[in-house]
Amino acid sequence: MAKTSAVERNKKREYMAKRDAAKRAALKKMVMDKSGAPEERFEAALKLAKLPRNGARIRVHNRCELTGRPHGVYRKFRLGRVVLRDLANQGQIPGMVKSSW
C-alpha cells in the first residue's frame, strides 16, 4: 500500500485539474493565438501563471485504484501490475487469460 497522504494529494490534484481545465484551456488558447494583441497575450500568460500549479493535468500521477502504487500501472485498467495479475488469475477480469505457448 502506498502512503495515504500521497494518494490523497493525487486525488486533490485530479480534482483541481478537472476544476481548472476550462479556464486553463481558454487562457492557453489566448496565449497561443498569434493574431491577438501582444498585451492581451501577455495578460493571459500572467493569469495562467497565477493559477495553482497543482491544477495542471501534467501533475496528476497514474496510480493503482486499489493499492495506490505509483509504478507499473496499466492505463487501460488503472491497476498496478501486481493487482492486475492477481485479479486475472482469479478470473475477475473478463477476457483476460494467462498466456501460454
Side-chain angles (χ1 to χ4, degrees), residues 82-93 96-99:
V82 179
V83 174
L84 184 70
R85 182 184 167 110
D86 287 343
L87 292 177
N89 284 340
Q90 294 171 7
Q92 297 292 320
I93 303 175
M96 183 173 277
V97 292
K98 190 173 177 183
S99 66

Side-chain angles (χ1 to χ4, degrees), residues 31-98:
V31 170
M32 300 304 285
D33 183 23
K34 302 291 184 190
S35 64
E39 296 84 17
E40 291 176 3
R41 292 177 60 202
F42 185 70
E43 288 295 322
L46 290 178
K47 287 181 183 177
L48 188 62
K50 285 191 177 186
L51 288 176
R53 288 185 175 181
N54 279 338
R57 183 71 187 131
I58 196 72
R59 289 261 179 145
V60 178
H61 201 287
N62 287 334
R63 287 185 172 268
C64 176
E65 288 291 318
L66 297 180
T67 62
R69 180 183 168 84
H71 297 290
V73 177
Y74 287 82
R75 290 180 185 171
K76 183 175 182 180
F77 303 105
R78 293 189 55 115
L79 294 173
R81 60 181 177 81
V82 179
V83 174
L84 184 70
R85 182 184 167 110
D86 287 343
L87 292 177
N89 284 340
Q90 294 171 7
Q92 297 292 320
I93 303 175
M96 183 173 277
V97 292
K98 190 173 177 183

